[in-house]
Amino acid sequence: MYTHLWAKAGSAAVLTVSLCLTATACTNSGDDSSGSGAASGDNSAAAQQVASPSASASGPGCTYQSYGGGAPKLDITDGKTVVGFSQSESTSNPFRATETKSIEAEAKKLGVKLIERNANADVNTQNSQIEDMIAQGAKVLIVAPENSDGLGPALAKAKAKKIPVLTIDRTVTGTACTDYVAFIGSNFYGQAQVAADDLAAATGSSGHVAILTGSPGNNVTTDRTKGFQDQVKAKYPKMKIVASQTGNFAQTDGQKVMEQLLQAHSDINAVYAENDEMALGAIQAIKSAGKTPGKDIKIVSIDGIEQMVQNVASGTAAADIETNPRFGPLAFQALQDFYGTAGVQDKVIIKDGHFTSDNAKQALEQGLVY
Protein backbone atom coordinates (compact mmCIF):
# COMPACT_ATOMS: atom_id res chain seq x y z
CA MET A 1 0.00 0.00 0.00
CA TYR A 2 1.37 3.42 -0.94
CA THR A 3 0.33 6.77 0.39
CA HIS A 4 1.70 10.08 -0.86
CA LEU A 5 2.32 13.34 0.91
CA TRP A 6 4.40 16.44 0.34
CA ALA A 7 6.90 17.61 2.93
CA LYS A 8 9.54 20.30 3.01
CA ALA A 9 13.24 19.44 3.00
CA GLY A 10 15.27 22.64 3.09
CA SER A 11 13.96 24.84 0.32
CA ALA A 12 12.89 21.99 -1.94
CA ALA A 13 9.57 20.17 -1.88
CA VAL A 14 10.00 16.45 -1.36
CA LEU A 15 7.56 13.71 -2.27
CA THR A 16 7.37 11.12 0.49
CA VAL A 17 5.99 7.66 -0.16
CA SER A 18 5.18 5.38 2.77
CA LEU A 19 5.32 1.63 2.19
CA CYS A 20 3.97 -0.94 4.66
CA LEU A 21 6.52 -3.67 5.24
CA THR A 22 4.16 -5.90 7.23
CA ALA A 23 0.46 -6.57 7.43
CA THR A 24 0.26 -4.10 10.30
CA ALA A 25 -1.76 -1.03 9.38
CA CYS A 26 0.29 1.80 7.94
CA THR A 27 0.68 5.10 9.71
CA ASN A 28 2.08 8.29 8.26
CA SER A 29 4.71 10.22 10.15
CA GLY A 30 3.50 13.48 8.63
CA ASP A 31 5.73 16.46 7.91
CA ASP A 32 9.15 16.38 9.52
CA SER A 33 9.27 19.71 11.31
CA SER A 34 13.07 19.66 11.36
CA GLY A 35 13.19 19.32 7.59
CA SER A 36 15.87 16.68 7.97
CA GLY A 37 13.87 13.64 6.94
CA ALA A 38 15.61 11.87 9.79
CA ALA A 39 14.44 9.65 12.58
CA SER A 40 10.99 10.00 14.04
CA GLY A 41 10.20 9.61 17.69
CA ASP A 42 7.29 7.24 16.94
CA ASN A 43 8.31 3.67 17.74
CA SER A 44 4.94 1.95 17.60
CA ALA A 45 4.92 -1.43 15.89
CA ALA A 46 3.22 0.04 12.85
CA ALA A 47 5.51 3.02 12.47
CA GLN A 48 8.67 0.97 12.97
CA GLN A 49 7.76 -1.22 10.01
CA VAL A 50 7.12 1.68 7.63
CA ALA A 51 9.79 2.65 5.13
CA SER A 52 9.46 6.18 3.83
CA PRO A 53 11.24 6.73 0.54
CA SER A 54 11.46 10.31 -0.64
CA ALA A 55 12.29 11.70 -4.05
CA SER A 56 15.08 14.26 -4.02
CA ALA A 57 13.63 15.95 -7.07
CA SER A 58 10.40 15.92 -9.03
CA GLY A 59 10.18 14.65 -12.57
CA PRO A 60 10.39 11.24 -14.25
CA GLY A 61 12.26 8.47 -12.50
CA CYS A 62 14.96 6.26 -13.95
CA THR A 63 13.74 3.36 -16.09
CA TYR A 64 15.48 0.62 -18.05
CA GLN A 65 14.93 2.70 -21.17
CA SER A 66 16.74 5.77 -19.82
CA TYR A 67 19.45 4.01 -17.81
CA GLY A 68 22.95 4.49 -19.20
CA GLY A 69 21.71 4.72 -22.77
CA GLY A 70 19.29 1.82 -22.41
CA ALA A 71 19.21 -1.61 -20.78
CA PRO A 72 17.29 -4.78 -21.69
CA LYS A 73 13.80 -5.08 -20.21
CA LEU A 74 13.61 -7.85 -17.62
CA ASP A 75 11.03 -9.56 -15.46
CA ILE A 76 12.94 -10.19 -12.23
CA THR A 77 10.14 -12.37 -10.87
CA ASP A 78 10.12 -14.89 -13.75
CA GLY A 79 12.30 -17.34 -11.81
CA LYS A 80 14.95 -17.26 -14.53
CA THR A 81 16.48 -13.79 -14.39
CA VAL A 82 19.45 -13.84 -12.05
CA VAL A 83 19.71 -10.97 -9.55
CA GLY A 84 23.06 -10.58 -7.81
CA PHE A 85 23.38 -9.23 -4.26
CA SER A 86 26.76 -7.96 -3.09
CA GLN A 87 27.05 -7.55 0.68
CA SER A 88 29.98 -5.44 1.85
CA GLU A 89 30.61 -6.74 5.36
CA SER A 90 30.30 -9.80 7.58
CA THR A 91 26.85 -10.79 8.77
CA SER A 92 28.26 -11.07 12.29
CA ASN A 93 27.32 -7.37 12.29
CA PRO A 94 23.61 -7.20 13.23
CA PHE A 95 22.93 -4.50 10.63
CA ARG A 96 24.43 -6.62 7.85
CA ALA A 97 22.68 -9.76 9.05
CA THR A 98 19.28 -8.05 9.08
CA GLU A 99 19.93 -6.39 5.73
CA THR A 100 20.90 -9.68 4.10
CA LYS A 101 17.91 -11.53 5.58
CA SER A 102 15.59 -8.79 4.31
CA ILE A 103 16.94 -9.07 0.76
CA GLU A 104 16.77 -12.87 0.86
CA ALA A 105 13.25 -12.94 2.30
CA GLU A 106 11.82 -10.56 -0.29
CA ALA A 107 13.57 -12.40 -3.13
CA LYS A 108 12.03 -15.66 -1.92
CA LYS A 109 8.61 -14.04 -1.56
CA LEU A 110 8.72 -12.74 -5.15
CA GLY A 111 10.26 -15.85 -6.68
CA VAL A 112 13.47 -14.02 -7.62
CA LYS A 113 16.51 -16.11 -8.53
CA LEU A 114 19.15 -14.60 -6.22
CA ILE A 115 22.90 -15.17 -6.01
CA GLU A 116 24.95 -13.60 -3.22
CA ARG A 117 28.50 -12.71 -2.29
CA ASN A 118 30.01 -11.16 0.88
CA ALA A 119 33.17 -9.04 0.60
CA ASN A 120 33.96 -9.04 4.34
CA ALA A 121 34.94 -5.36 4.36
CA ASP A 122 37.42 -5.61 1.45
CA VAL A 123 36.61 -3.34 -1.48
CA ASN A 124 38.97 -5.19 -3.85
CA THR A 125 37.20 -8.43 -3.00
CA GLN A 126 33.85 -6.74 -3.61
CA ASN A 127 34.96 -5.65 -7.08
CA SER A 128 36.05 -9.19 -7.89
CA GLN A 129 32.86 -10.72 -6.51
CA ILE A 130 30.63 -8.38 -8.50
CA GLU A 131 32.54 -9.26 -11.66
CA ASP A 132 32.17 -12.94 -10.72
CA MET A 133 28.40 -12.59 -10.33
CA ILE A 134 28.27 -10.98 -13.77
CA ALA A 135 30.19 -13.96 -15.14
CA GLN A 136 27.68 -16.24 -13.35
CA GLY A 137 24.83 -14.66 -15.31
CA ALA A 138 23.55 -11.83 -13.08
CA LYS A 139 21.47 -9.42 -15.18
CA VAL A 140 20.84 -6.85 -12.45
CA LEU A 141 22.74 -6.10 -9.23
CA ILE A 142 21.86 -4.91 -5.73
CA VAL A 143 25.05 -3.63 -4.11
CA ALA A 144 25.78 -2.58 -0.51
CA PRO A 145 29.09 -0.77 -1.19
CA GLU A 146 32.08 -1.18 1.11
CA ASN A 147 32.92 2.45 0.37
CA SER A 148 31.77 5.16 -1.99
CA ASP A 149 34.87 5.49 -4.14
CA GLY A 150 36.27 2.01 -4.63
CA LEU A 151 33.82 0.19 -6.91
CA GLY A 152 34.79 1.86 -10.17
CA PRO A 153 36.07 -1.35 -11.87
CA ALA A 154 32.95 -3.37 -11.06
CA LEU A 155 30.59 -0.55 -12.02
CA ALA A 156 32.42 -0.08 -15.31
CA LYS A 157 32.14 -3.80 -16.07
CA ALA A 158 28.41 -3.78 -15.28
CA LYS A 159 27.83 -0.64 -17.35
CA ALA A 160 29.65 -2.09 -20.35
CA LYS A 161 27.32 -5.08 -20.25
CA LYS A 162 24.21 -2.95 -19.64
CA ILE A 163 23.65 -4.49 -16.22
CA PRO A 164 21.83 -2.05 -13.90
CA VAL A 165 23.22 -1.54 -10.38
CA LEU A 166 20.98 -0.50 -7.47
CA THR A 167 22.91 0.70 -4.40
CA ILE A 168 21.70 0.35 -0.81
CA ASP A 169 22.92 1.80 2.53
CA ARG A 170 25.94 3.64 1.02
CA THR A 171 26.33 5.62 -2.16
CA VAL A 172 28.88 5.11 -4.93
CA THR A 173 30.76 7.68 -6.95
CA GLY A 174 29.01 8.40 -10.23
CA THR A 175 25.76 9.66 -11.67
CA ALA A 176 22.32 8.22 -10.92
CA CYS A 177 20.61 6.59 -13.91
CA THR A 178 23.96 6.56 -15.72
CA ASP A 179 26.46 4.72 -13.54
CA TYR A 180 23.96 3.28 -11.06
CA VAL A 181 20.16 3.22 -10.90
CA ALA A 182 19.53 4.90 -7.53
CA PHE A 183 20.52 4.96 -3.86
CA ILE A 184 18.28 3.54 -1.12
CA GLY A 185 19.30 4.37 2.43
CA SER A 186 19.09 6.63 5.44
CA ASN A 187 19.40 10.40 5.66
CA PHE A 188 22.80 10.26 7.34
CA TYR A 189 23.09 14.02 7.70
CA GLY A 190 19.66 14.15 9.34
CA GLN A 191 20.57 11.29 11.69
CA ALA A 192 23.56 13.31 12.90
CA GLN A 193 21.41 16.37 13.51
CA VAL A 194 19.14 14.29 15.75
CA ALA A 195 22.21 12.90 17.54
CA ALA A 196 23.42 16.43 18.25
CA ASP A 197 20.02 17.37 19.64
CA ASP A 198 19.99 14.27 21.85
CA LEU A 199 23.49 14.91 23.21
CA ALA A 200 22.66 18.56 23.87
CA ALA A 201 19.59 17.49 25.83
CA ALA A 202 21.64 14.98 27.83
CA THR A 203 24.38 17.49 28.73
CA GLY A 204 22.33 20.64 29.20
CA SER A 205 23.78 21.93 25.92
CA SER A 206 27.22 22.22 27.50
CA GLY A 207 28.93 18.96 26.59
CA HIS A 208 32.63 18.57 25.87
CA VAL A 209 32.22 16.09 23.05
CA ALA A 210 34.46 13.41 21.58
CA ILE A 211 33.38 12.22 18.13
CA LEU A 212 34.18 8.69 17.02
CA THR A 213 33.93 8.94 13.24
CA GLY A 214 33.37 6.06 10.84
CA SER A 215 35.62 4.73 8.12
CA PRO A 216 36.98 7.40 5.77
CA GLY A 217 36.06 7.38 2.10
CA ASN A 218 32.31 6.85 2.29
CA ASN A 219 29.31 9.14 2.37
CA VAL A 220 28.02 7.79 5.68
CA THR A 221 31.02 9.07 7.62
CA THR A 222 31.08 12.37 5.75
CA ASP A 223 27.39 13.11 6.34
CA ARG A 224 27.28 11.89 9.94
CA THR A 225 30.26 14.08 10.80
CA LYS A 226 29.10 17.20 9.00
CA GLY A 227 25.50 16.92 10.17
CA PHE A 228 26.59 16.78 13.81
CA GLN A 229 29.11 19.59 13.50
CA ASP A 230 26.70 21.84 11.64
CA GLN A 231 23.92 21.26 14.17
CA VAL A 232 26.19 22.01 17.13
CA LYS A 233 27.47 25.18 15.45
CA ALA A 234 23.95 26.36 14.58
CA LYS A 235 22.12 25.56 17.81
CA TYR A 236 24.45 24.86 20.72
CA PRO A 237 27.17 27.51 21.16
CA LYS A 238 28.09 26.19 24.64
CA MET A 239 28.81 22.69 23.35
CA LYS A 240 32.44 22.08 22.44
CA ILE A 241 33.83 19.36 20.20
CA VAL A 242 37.17 18.67 21.88
CA ALA A 243 38.28 15.67 19.79
CA SER A 244 37.35 13.79 16.62
CA GLN A 245 39.03 10.58 15.49
CA THR A 246 38.10 7.60 13.34
CA GLY A 247 37.18 4.31 14.97
CA ASN A 248 36.58 2.72 11.55
CA PHE A 249 33.05 1.62 12.51
CA ALA A 250 34.66 -1.16 14.62
CA GLN A 251 34.22 -1.98 18.31
CA THR A 252 37.89 -2.74 18.98
CA ASP A 253 39.02 0.45 17.24
CA GLY A 254 36.36 2.45 19.04
CA GLN A 255 37.58 1.19 22.40
CA LYS A 256 41.23 1.87 21.61
CA VAL A 257 40.57 5.37 20.29
CA MET A 258 38.31 6.23 23.23
CA GLU A 259 41.01 5.12 25.68
CA GLN A 260 43.47 7.48 23.98
CA LEU A 261 41.03 10.37 23.87
CA LEU A 262 40.19 10.06 27.57
CA GLN A 263 43.86 10.23 28.43
CA ALA A 264 44.41 13.28 26.22
CA HIS A 265 41.20 15.15 27.16
CA SER A 266 40.19 14.84 30.80
CA ASP A 267 37.25 17.20 30.24
CA ILE A 268 35.31 14.86 27.91
CA ASN A 269 31.79 14.37 29.28
CA ALA A 270 29.99 13.38 26.07
CA VAL A 271 30.56 10.98 23.19
CA TYR A 272 28.99 10.94 19.75
CA ALA A 273 29.67 7.60 18.04
CA GLU A 274 28.82 7.34 14.36
CA ASN A 275 27.81 3.72 14.79
CA ASP A 276 26.88 1.38 17.63
CA GLU A 277 29.94 -0.86 17.33
CA MET A 278 32.21 2.08 18.18
CA ALA A 279 29.82 3.14 20.95
CA LEU A 280 30.08 -0.30 22.55
CA GLY A 281 33.86 -0.01 22.45
CA ALA A 282 33.68 3.48 23.94
CA ILE A 283 31.56 2.19 26.82
CA GLN A 284 34.25 -0.36 27.69
CA ALA A 285 36.95 2.32 27.53
CA ILE A 286 34.96 4.63 29.79
CA LYS A 287 34.48 1.87 32.36
CA SER A 288 38.18 0.97 32.20
CA ALA A 289 38.99 4.61 32.92
CA GLY A 290 37.01 4.36 36.15
CA LYS A 291 34.11 6.46 34.91
CA THR A 292 30.43 5.61 34.59
CA PRO A 293 28.89 5.76 31.10
CA GLY A 294 25.53 7.47 31.21
CA LYS A 295 26.48 9.42 34.34
CA ASP A 296 30.00 10.82 34.00
CA ILE A 297 29.97 10.64 30.22
CA LYS A 298 26.80 10.83 28.11
CA ILE A 299 26.70 8.73 24.94
CA VAL A 300 24.64 9.04 21.77
CA SER A 301 25.07 6.66 18.86
CA ILE A 302 23.61 5.67 15.50
CA ASP A 303 22.43 2.24 14.28
CA GLY A 304 19.80 0.84 16.63
CA ILE A 305 21.19 -2.65 17.31
CA GLU A 306 19.64 -4.53 20.21
CA GLN A 307 22.62 -4.31 22.56
CA MET A 308 22.86 -0.54 22.21
CA VAL A 309 19.12 0.00 22.61
CA GLN A 310 19.38 -2.05 25.81
CA ASN A 311 22.03 0.43 26.94
CA VAL A 312 19.59 3.27 26.27
CA ALA A 313 16.90 1.49 28.27
CA SER A 314 19.29 0.99 31.22
CA GLY A 315 20.59 4.57 31.13
CA THR A 316 24.10 3.65 30.01
CA ALA A 317 23.49 5.62 26.79
CA ALA A 318 21.29 8.66 26.25
CA ALA A 319 19.87 7.81 22.83
CA ASP A 320 20.35 5.73 19.70
CA ILE A 321 19.15 6.67 16.22
CA GLU A 322 18.22 3.68 14.08
CA THR A 323 19.70 2.98 10.68
CA ASN A 324 16.98 0.79 9.21
CA PRO A 325 18.49 -2.24 7.43
CA ARG A 326 15.20 -3.69 6.13
CA PHE A 327 15.87 -2.91 2.47
CA GLY A 328 14.33 -5.96 0.80
CA PRO A 329 10.83 -4.66 -0.01
CA LEU A 330 12.11 -1.25 -1.12
CA ALA A 331 14.92 -2.66 -3.23
CA PHE A 332 12.76 -5.10 -5.18
CA GLN A 333 9.93 -2.58 -5.53
CA ALA A 334 12.49 -0.12 -6.94
CA LEU A 335 13.64 -2.70 -9.48
CA GLN A 336 10.08 -3.50 -10.51
CA ASP A 337 9.41 0.22 -10.95
CA PHE A 338 12.67 0.52 -12.92
CA TYR A 339 11.55 -2.20 -15.32
CA GLY A 340 8.01 -0.81 -15.45
CA THR A 341 6.73 2.66 -16.23
CA ALA A 342 6.93 4.37 -12.84
CA GLY A 343 10.71 4.62 -12.69
CA VAL A 344 12.91 5.21 -9.63
CA GLN A 345 14.05 8.57 -8.24
CA ASP A 346 17.78 8.94 -7.60
CA LYS A 347 17.48 8.87 -3.79
CA VAL A 348 15.07 6.73 -1.81
CA ILE A 349 15.31 7.59 1.90
CA ILE A 350 14.16 4.90 4.33
CA LYS A 351 12.38 5.73 7.59
CA ASP A 352 14.48 5.23 10.72
CA GLY A 353 13.47 4.80 14.34
CA HIS A 354 14.69 6.90 17.28
CA PHE A 355 15.33 5.25 20.63
CA THR A 356 15.36 7.28 23.85
CA SER A 357 14.76 6.60 27.54
CA ASP A 358 11.06 7.15 26.84
CA ASN A 359 10.63 4.32 24.34
CA ALA A 360 13.68 2.02 24.31
CA LYS A 361 12.24 -0.54 26.74
CA GLN A 362 8.95 -0.68 24.83
CA ALA A 363 10.76 -1.10 21.50
CA LEU A 364 12.73 -4.03 22.91
CA GLU A 365 9.59 -5.66 24.34
CA GLN A 366 7.78 -5.29 21.01
CA GLY A 367 10.66 -6.82 19.02
CA LEU A 368 11.25 -3.69 16.97
CA VAL A 369 15.04 -3.78 17.33
CA TYR A 370 17.47 -5.76 15.20
Side-chain angles (χ1 to χ4, degrees), residues 20 22 239-242 283 313 340 359 362:
C20 276
T22 68
M239 286 183 70
K240 183 179 179 182
I241 298 171
V242 299
I283 288 170
N359 59 28
Q362 179 184 8

Side-chain angles (χ1 to χ4, degrees), residues 216-266:
N218 71 75
N219 68 302
V220 180
T221 298
T222 300
D223 288 352
R224 285 183 182 168
T225 302
K226 191 173 189 307
F228 186 88
Q229 292 172 336
D230 287 353
Q231 191 78 341
V232 168
K233 183 177 179 181
K235 294 181 63 176
Y236 307 111
K238 293 183 179 180
M239 286 183 70
K240 183 179 179 182
I241 298 171
V242 299
S244 180
Q245 189 170 328
T246 181
N248 293 309
F249 286 136
Q251 183 170 342
T252 53
D253 288 359
Q255 181 172 348
K256 185 183 300 183
V257 169
M258 193 69 227
E259 289 171 350
Q260 296 168 352
L261 293 180
L262 288 171
Q263 291 175 0
H265 302 275
S266 60

Side-chain angles (χ1 to χ4, degrees), residues 2 14 22 35 63 72 86 112 127 130 170 180 182 258-260 280 309 314 367:
Y2 285 89
V14 175
T22 68
T63 68
S86 173
V112 172
N127 273 293
I130 290 171
R170 291 176 183 167
Y180 62 95
M258 193 69 227
E259 289 171 350
Q260 296 168 352
L280 293 172
V309 179
S314 69

Side-chain angles (χ1 to χ4, degrees), residues 10-26:
S11 60
V14 175
L15 174 63
T16 300
V17 185
S18 296
L19 169 63
C20 276
L21 300 186
T22 68
T24 308
C26 257

Side-chain angles (χ1 to χ4, degrees), residues 134-182:
I134 292 171
Q136 293 294 315
K139 299 302 181 185
V140 60
L141 296 163
I142 300 171
V143 176
E146 170 56 23
N147 62 48
S148 300
D149 302 323
L151 291 181
L155 292 177
K157 186 72 172 280
K159 186 175 181 180
K161 292 184 173 292
K162 297 187 179 298
I163 296 173
V165 177
L166 179 69
T167 65
I168 61 174
D169 81 56
R170 291 176 183 167
T171 62
V172 291
T173 301
T175 304
C177 207
T178 299
D179 303 302
Y180 62 95
V181 174

